[in-house]
Amino acid sequence: MLHFLRQALGTQTTPSNQVLLGLALFLTILVMQPVATEVYHKGWEPMDQGKLSAMDAFTEGSKPLDAFLLRFAREKDIQLFLNITHTPAPRKPQDLDMKVLAPAYILSELKAGFQIGAVLYLPFLVIDLVIASVTVSIGMMQLPPVMVSAPFKILLFVLADGWNLIIGSLMKSFYA
């Protein structure tokens, strides 16, 4: 999604890949911190205190992660991986195996990212089309429309407080 945004703005390397990766990493840590804390309290602590064996601690500790993945994985993607692995559908969704949940979650998030990226791209595409039409209609064939539209797109993004809107909406989707 962040890459689509950068492409839509017409800024090929700004923000850089390192900045986008760092932002994505910190957002991931923010989203996953409650799950990691729950995994620690349900799995690691009891094992460390001798209350659970390593296998039982793994089973108990993986339940919060399974619940998180199940919450955000689309049913269609889960069904796809059940079919691929030739696994019968469990009686209840909580019994799904991690080998089905993890790729289904990844596929679901990829779809959501592409959908968000496409929606973000549209207003900037409209600006590009309008600027291209105007420059051609006044006979400025030699001037690349991107040279004119880039400042307008960045101005629109800044005036709309784009970073706040995008990151805020993205993070709220995980805390809804």
Side-chain angles (χ1 to χ4, degrees):
M1 182 206 61
L2 295 173
H3 175 73
F4 277 125
L5 174 63
R6 182 174 65 187
Q7 291 298 110
L9 284 171
T11 58
Q12 304 307 321
T13 58
T14 305
S16 68
N17 285 335
Q18 291 86 351
V19 171
L20 293 182
L21 186 62
L23 177 61
L25 178 65
F26 284 114
L27 294 176
T28 301
I29 291 169
L30 182 66
V31 168
M32 293 306 296
Q33 188 271 331
V35 176
T37 301
E38 194 175 349
V39 167
Y40 177 78
H41 289 311
K42 288 188 174 185
W44 184 263
E45 276 182 347
M47 185 186 77
D48 199 34
Q49 296 166 355
K51 295 177 183 175
L52 291 177
S53 68
M55 195 61 194
D56 290 338
F58 178 79
T59 303
E60 288 300 312
S62 65
K63 286 180 182 176
L65 182 59
D66 288 346
F68 178 84
L69 296 177
L70 183 60
R71 182 175 170 206
F72 293 105
R74 293 182 317 145
E75 191 175 320
K76 184 178 179 181
D77 296 329
I78 291 172
Q79 190 60 48
L80 171 70
F81 286 102
L82 283 172
N83 293 339
I84 289 172
T85 60
H86 304 291
T87 305
R91 245 186 265 171
K92 49 188 183 168
Q94 292 77 12
D95 295 336
L96 282 166
D97 193 22
M98 184 67 77
K99 72 180 179 189
V100 170
L101 273 178
Y105 169 78
I106 292 169
L107 199 60
S108 298
E109 289 302 306
L110 280 173
K111 180 180 182 197
F114 274 86
Q115 287 173 332
I116 293 167
V119 170
L120 285 174
Y121 215 100
L122 290 176
F124 298 111
L125 180 62
V126 169
I127 290 173
D128 277 336
L129 290 173
V130 168
I131 297 293
S133 296
V134 169
T135 55
V136 167
S137 68
I138 60 175
M140 298 176 68
M141 305 290 187
Q142 298 301 321
L143 180 66
V146 174
M147 295 290 290
V148 178
S149 68
F152 287 111
K153 293 190 289 186
I154 292 171
L155 183 64
L156 172 68
F157 189 71
V158 169
L159 289 176
D161 200 12
W163 287 113
N164 192 340
L165 288 172
I166 290 169
I167 300 303
S169 298
L170 185 62
M171 296 309 289
K172 287 175 189 170
S173 72
F174 284 101
Y175 290 107

